[in-house]
Amino acid sequence: MTVGIPVTPLDAWITEKTVAGGFMTREALSLYQLGRLNETLIRARGRSPFYQCHWADVAPDSLKRLEQLAGYPFTTPADVSERGLQMVCVSQGQISRVVTLTTSGTTGSPKRIYFTAADQELTTDFFRCGMSTFTEPGDRVLIMLPGERPGSVGDLLGKGLLRSGVFPIAYGLVTNLAAAVARMCQEQATCLVGVPVQILAMARYWEHWEKSTWAPGCILLSTDYVPLAIVRELKQIWNCEVYEHYGMTEMGLGGGLECAAHNGYHLREADLYIEIIDPVSAQPLPDGEYGEVVVTTLTRLGMPLIRYRTGDISRFIPGQCLCGSVLRRLERVQSRTTGRVHIGIDAWLTIAELDEVLFPVPGIINFSSMISYDDSPVRLLVTASVLGRIPEESVILDALRQISSIRGAESTGQLTLTAEVVSADEGLIIEAGKRVINISGSNESKVGSGERI
């Protein structure tokens, strides 16, 4: 542990779950995970019609090492969409919450994820522990996530906070900036939890509002990928600490959380086993190498997911965290296996690249983009939503040309680059997890960041 950087509270929480009364080591944690994994495999094989069929060619032997899980086939988002109900390992009466996720394309069945009350209790306790990283009793947390329904992410987060003596303020997703900022100031919220683009929009509005000097001391960004540009802007505007959470509904909403060192997500290893695989060969990769994140649930009763391919690209960060925890750290996720578009010969573009050059532009709170393959050369149109003074379109174009692939494709005549700027008062849509590159003239409809929760 480095002086001044406390150990993540997840360390003690997971130690209690895995080696109660003992000292957690990587070896002890692996033994715990192996035991839970074998229990999960037995339960899934015995109770799930999907897994009984899916594993027909896999011998039902207990695993002796975690690495042997690589002998099992992957589960995909398509499997969940098409046969999700057959993955359920409990009676329908034991399911307390069903979350429906729409697919990112224009066709395809939605994914439905099933949870028991016990599954949700694990998430609530994870939220309780994780939030203690940067909150303490008496703090007031404005929850800007869906929370209207029992068992929703905002509802579970609020319940977890109450257990720590922290006061939750349910708000929901931001649909009106003026109302959201006013509520934050009226409640004197010490912490905000919400979607990156929505929290940035609030900060931009707060700068121009000039009716309150109240500002939150810390922010937790969740549900979507977190651009570093947004983190920098929030720190500059509010002089606050910004933390990031990694999770998705398929993981049980909570997956990993930064500690005060801000160098990767400490993973929820008592409930999840994470692999990094080569997206092409599907072979496991060692720590330090980038690949696709694959998730296996270890304690999920309702709908266990075994070797679920998330499509997220990341890596395990080698070595121990400065906070001293032995938990593995996942590097921030910035791309997906399908998250790039072709804009020229050997030239590609991702949403993450657009994020990092556009969000630093003063006043920008969101943007949309369209690639047209119907035109020759290929045409890229970026429409920026701006709060306050409207910049010249040339400002947006200059920002976009910071991306080497755009600059190269444009200079060689393979790409036509255009930009539009609209006032947020006229065309603002701040949606959770909806930053996409829309595509025209292709079999694909859009490529983007994807909705996390």
Side-chain angles (χ1 to χ4, degrees):
M1 171 181 169
T2 300
V3 175
I5 300 180
V7 179
T8 173
L10 295 178
D11 199 288
W13 181 67
I14 291 177
T15 296
E16 183 180 352
K17 288 172 169 286
T18 58
V19 286
F23 181 74
M24 184 170 66
T25 62
R26 285 306 313 173
E27 293 74 17
L29 183 52
S30 293
L31 283 174
Y32 164 87
Q33 290 182 314
L34 182 62
R36 299 293 82 74
L37 176 57
N38 278 319
E39 290 174 1
T40 297
L41 295 176
I42 291 170
R43 184 169 61 252
R45 191 185 290 274
R47 301 182 182 181
S48 162
F50 169 80
Y51 288 117
Q52 289 168 3
C53 177
H54 198 51
W55 298 341
D57 296 328
V58 180
D61 300 326
S62 294
L63 304 185
K64 302 298 188 296
R65 294 177 294 108
L66 288 169
E67 292 77 14
Q68 290 177 303
L69 183 63
Y72 279 71
F74 295 106
T75 304
T76 67
D79 292 330
V80 175
S81 296
E82 297 165 10
R83 301 185 63 189
L85 187 58
Q86 296 180 39
M87 297 179 185
V88 174
C89 293
V90 297
S91 67
Q92 287 293 304
Q94 292 176 275
I95 296 297
S96 63
R97 171 78 169 157
V98 181
V99 180
T100 300
L101 304 172
T102 56
T103 57
S104 59
T106 56
T107 61
S109 302
K111 292 183 289 186
R112 289 186 173 86
I113 314 297
Y114 300 81
F115 299 99
T116 66
D119 297 334
Q120 293 191 294
E121 169 56 29
L122 290 172
T123 297
T124 299
D125 201 43
F126 169 74
F127 287 158
R128 174 200 61 78
C129 177
M131 291 296 291
S132 68
T133 304
F134 44 82
T135 63
E136 56 187 30
D139 281 345
R140 300 172 64 82
V141 178
L142 190 61
I143 303 173
M144 320 202 81
L145 299 172
E148 301 83 5
R149 298 181 180 179
S152 61
V153 60
D155 176 59
L156 298 180
L157 178 57
K159 290 177 179 177
L161 288 168
L162 283 173
R163 295 178 184 181
S164 297
V166 178
F167 185 72
I169 305 163
Y171 187 86
L173 295 173
V174 177
T175 57
N176 183 295
L177 285 178
V181 173
R183 182 73 179 276
M184 177 190 78
C185 296
Q186 290 165 3
E187 296 282 359
Q188 295 193 335
T190 55
C191 176
L192 307 184
V193 180
V195 181
V197 291
Q198 296 198 342
I199 300 297
L200 175 64
M202 288 179 62
R204 299 275 199 218
Y205 183 86
W206 181 88
E207 280 188 295
H208 299 283
W209 194 41
E210 297 180 351
K211 292 184 179 180
S212 176
T213 59
W214 181 265
C218 70
I219 307 292
L220 176 63
L221 301 178
S222 186
T223 78
D224 193 12
Y225 305 121
V226 182
L228 284 173
I230 288 184
V231 173
R232 290 191 295 267
E233 291 298 302
L234 292 175
K235 288 182 176 180
Q236 188 276 321
I237 294 170
W238 276 329
N239 189 30
C240 61
E241 193 83 356
V242 180
Y243 289 83
E244 302 175 31
H245 168 257
Y246 174 63
M248 57 182 64
T249 304
E250 294 93 325
M251 285 181 172
L253 303 178
L257 184 68
E258 282 189 321
C259 70
H262 298 288
N263 187 22
Y265 309 113
H266 288 289
L267 294 171
R268 184 182 169 186
E269 294 193 80
D271 300 314
L272 301 171
Y273 176 65
I274 307 294
E275 302 170 83
I276 302 294
I277 66 163
D278 184 300
V280 178
S281 71
Q283 294 302 305
L285 295 174
D287 290 3
E289 293 193 23
Y290 289 94
E292 183 179 356
V293 179
V294 174
V295 175
T296 295
T297 61
L298 299 176
T299 53
R300 180 89 59 81
L301 298 178
M303 182 184 182
L305 291 178
I306 316 298
R307 306 202 78 202
Y308 179 77
R309 297 188 67 157
T310 67
D312 293 340
I313 299 298
S314 185
R315 66 170 184 145
F316 287 127
I317 301 174
Q320 189 175 45
C321 180
L322 291 176
C323 80
S325 173
V326 301
L327 297 176
R328 303 188 87 171
R329 289 172 296 146
L330 190 72
E331 189 173 88
R332 65 194 342 266
V333 175
Q334 294 186 348
S335 64
R336 292 179 60 78
T337 53
T338 57
R340 64 178 189 167
V341 295
H342 184 251
I343 59 174
I345 298 175
D346 296 326
W348 302 85
L349 179 65
T350 69
I351 275 289
E353 291 174 305
L354 294 176
D355 287 343
E356 299 303 339
V357 299
L358 290 174
F359 283 124
V361 176
I364 282 191
I365 58 177
N366 207 355
F367 65 87
S368 63
S369 50
M370 169 68 78
I371 287 278
S372 176
Y373 295 116
D374 296 321
D375 301 317
S376 183
V378 173
R379 179 171 179 260
L380 170 63
L381 168 65
V382 173
T383 302
S385 295
V386 178
L387 191 65
R389 182 182 177 183
I390 303 296
E392 297 291 330
E393 292 177 358
S394 60
V395 173
I396 307 301
L397 293 173
D398 288 344
L400 292 169
R401 290 180 179 124
Q402 294 177 44
I403 301 174
S404 59
S405 61
I406 287 180
R407 194 167 59 249
E410 188 181 31
S411 66
T412 55
Q414 300 177 76
L415 178 71
T416 299
L417 184 63
T418 56
E420 295 178 353
V421 184
V422 298
S423 170
D425 296 333
E426 299 173 4
L428 173 61
I429 300 176
I430 316 174
E431 295 188 70
K434 294 296 184 182
R435 292 195 315 286
V436 298
I437 301 176
N438 295 287
I439 297 174
S440 173
S442 168
N443 290 331
E444 299 177 81
S445 61
K446 52 185 156 181
V447 174
S449 63
E451 188 168 340
R452 314 308 303 154
I453 293 179

